[in-house]
Amino acid sequence: MSFAFIVPPMASLLTIKSPSFHFQVTQLLVLLIVLTPAQSISHCRTSCGGVPIRYPFGVDDGCGSPYYRRLLVCSETGNLELRTPSGRYPVRNISYNDPHILLTDPFMWNCLDRDNFRPTRAFSLDTSTHLSLSPQNDYLFFNCSEEDVIIEPKPMFCERYPDRCDSSCDSSSYLCRHLPECASALRSGSCCSYYPKATESLRLMLKYCASYTSVYWRNIGAGPYDEVAEYGIRVDFDIPVTTRCLTCQDNLKGGGICGFDTQTENFLCICDGRNDTASCKDRGFSGHGKTAVIAGTVTAVSGAGAIGIGAGIWFWRKVRAKAPVTCGVQTNDNRLF
């Protein structure tokens, strides 16, 4: 629906003398504000830095699931990062079929460091979130103190099932003998493999080791053993599936985006600038619809409307000082429409 106002030339407007002009201009300004189409300046971005953003995640507040609120950040440089208690980490990829996030930790040891074991910080996750460190991660520690850390070879069985083995750091692990991308990077430093069960055990290891790195096993085939080792951190996540979200995403019902109210965290179906509690084609849309629920989204008057309002205020102030008092009577001479 569109609306148009026929505005007389300014010269003719200046000849209008009306005692009720204040009331009429007020009505005009209200009409301009109400009838000017609202513009949603922000929306739910579907990617950041080439990484797709889908439910349950969102980089705009109010998008996705509230379980993962404010965990992903699209930086000022356009790169996707995961926020954790230990810092912000670049996101390499997000898999939604096998739900996990692949992270890069620039503080960890890499092949370019070789025997230069620079200090690093322990990676950690907030245990109150729906994120967890994947058991497909392996951790390599370098130049550990043999007086404080038990360093000894382990059977091959322990490499894939660390929970069933003792707490020693394996000095003969496959990864220490075949470092990914740089098998012969270490010449004088020692290496051992250990899977920390908690952040505290990781910090304790780093207290007695010069540095560490994380290696995850990426599946490249159909079989469970068709994997290659790559540097990085794999973080698993859950996808909370609800009937309301499935209904919202149904293309036959409008194809909305699952989101939530930023104040109450109640479910909302985000529908191209407007939101609903069910779906984008819900019959009760006009009664339940909300605007500007996503933080950072501003419902604003268009530029033309703002100019019109400014001109109206200026014109009202100019004419009001000259308008004669006629007890509010409207005649054909002072009629606006």
Side-chain angles (χ1 to χ4, degrees):
M1 180 181 296
S2 60
F3 300 86
F5 294 99
I6 301 176
V7 181
M10 184 60 70
S12 62
L13 285 176
L14 292 176
T15 61
I16 297 175
K17 296 182 179 180
S18 169
S20 60
F21 188 75
H22 180 195
F23 173 75
Q24 294 178 15
V25 169
T26 302
Q27 286 185 318
L28 174 61
L29 297 181
V30 171
L31 285 173
L32 283 173
I33 294 175
V34 173
L35 299 179
T36 301
Q39 298 177 351
S40 182
I41 298 177
S42 181
H43 61 283
C44 294
R45 283 170 282 182
T46 57
S47 67
C48 175
V51 180
I53 307 297
R54 291 161 41 190
Y55 183 82
F57 296 116
V59 293
D60 301 291
D61 198 15
C63 301
S65 170
Y67 291 147
Y68 301 102
R69 188 178 186 180
R70 299 190 182 97
L71 290 182
L72 288 181
V73 180
C74 195
S75 67
E76 296 179 356
T77 57
N79 296 316
L80 187 63
E81 297 175 336
L82 177 69
R83 182 189 285 118
T84 79
S86 55
R88 287 167 55 164
Y89 299 88
V91 175
R92 186 185 306 175
N93 188 29
I94 300 179
S95 172
Y96 296 92
N97 296 326
D98 176 19
H100 68 270
I101 306 173
L102 294 181
L103 303 176
T104 300
D105 186 352
F107 291 92
M108 286 184 175
W109 180 91
N110 59 64
C111 289
L112 296 178
D113 291 339
R114 294 188 176 273
D115 292 333
N116 179 26
F117 302 112
R118 53 194 172 92
T120 185
R121 64 186 181 188
F123 175 82
S124 66
L125 286 176
D126 187 349
T127 56
S128 65
T129 65
H130 288 241
L131 301 177
S132 61
L133 283 174
S134 172
Q136 293 182 245
N137 293 325
D138 278 319
Y139 298 88
L140 302 180
F141 294 85
F142 305 101
N143 275 19
C144 298
S145 169
E146 296 187 7
E147 296 180 358
D148 302 290
V149 179
I150 301 174
I151 301 175
E152 61 182 22
K154 289 183 180 180
M156 294 182 60
F157 173 81
C158 295
E159 293 188 8
R160 304 305 298 162
Y161 304 97
D163 293 339
R164 303 181 186 180
C165 297
D166 57 29
S167 59
S168 63
C169 195
D170 185 9
S171 58
S172 63
S173 70
Y174 173 84
L175 291 175
C176 279
R177 291 181 284 109
H178 304 86
L179 289 171
E181 304 174 12
C182 51
S184 59
L186 297 181
R187 297 180 181 178
S188 59
S190 64
C191 170
C192 63
S193 177
Y194 173 72
Y195 187 85
K197 301 183 185 299
T199 301
E200 289 304 319
S201 61
L202 175 57
R203 291 173 181 168
L204 188 60
M205 286 290 292
L206 287 178
K207 183 178 179 181
Y208 302 110
C209 300
S211 186
Y212 89 118
T213 192
S214 174
V215 178
Y216 73 94
W217 292 89
R218 181 171 64 88
N219 191 284
I220 58 174
Y225 299 104
D226 294 335
E227 299 173 330
V228 294
E230 295 183 358
Y231 294 106
I233 306 172
R234 171 172 166 148
V235 175
D236 295 337
F237 64 88
D238 301 323
I239 300 180
V241 179
T242 63
T243 303
R244 289 184 299 178
C245 183
L246 294 176
T247 302
C248 171
Q249 293 177 329
D250 190 348
N251 290 329
L252 297 178
K253 297 185 178 181
I257 299 175
C258 299
F260 58 92
D261 189 301
T262 56
Q263 295 181 352
T264 65
E265 294 194 349
N266 292 331
F267 175 82
L268 285 178
C269 187
I270 300 173
C271 312
D272 190 23
R274 296 183 65 86
N275 310 319
D276 194 76
T277 57
S279 68
C280 295
K281 289 189 176 180
D282 182 33
R283 292 182 180 273
F285 183 87
S286 60
H288 300 288
K290 297 182 179 181
T291 57
V293 174
I294 302 173
T297 301
V298 179
T299 302
V301 178
S302 65
I307 294 175
I309 292 173
I313 294 174
W314 171 85
F315 176 60
W316 168 67
R317 289 178 176 176
K318 185 175 182 65
V319 175
R320 184 186 182 192
K322 301 179 180 180
V325 177
T326 58
C327 300
V329 177
Q330 185 181 40
T331 67
N332 290 331
D333 294 330
N334 63 27
R335 191 182 302 276
L336 280 178
F337 302 105

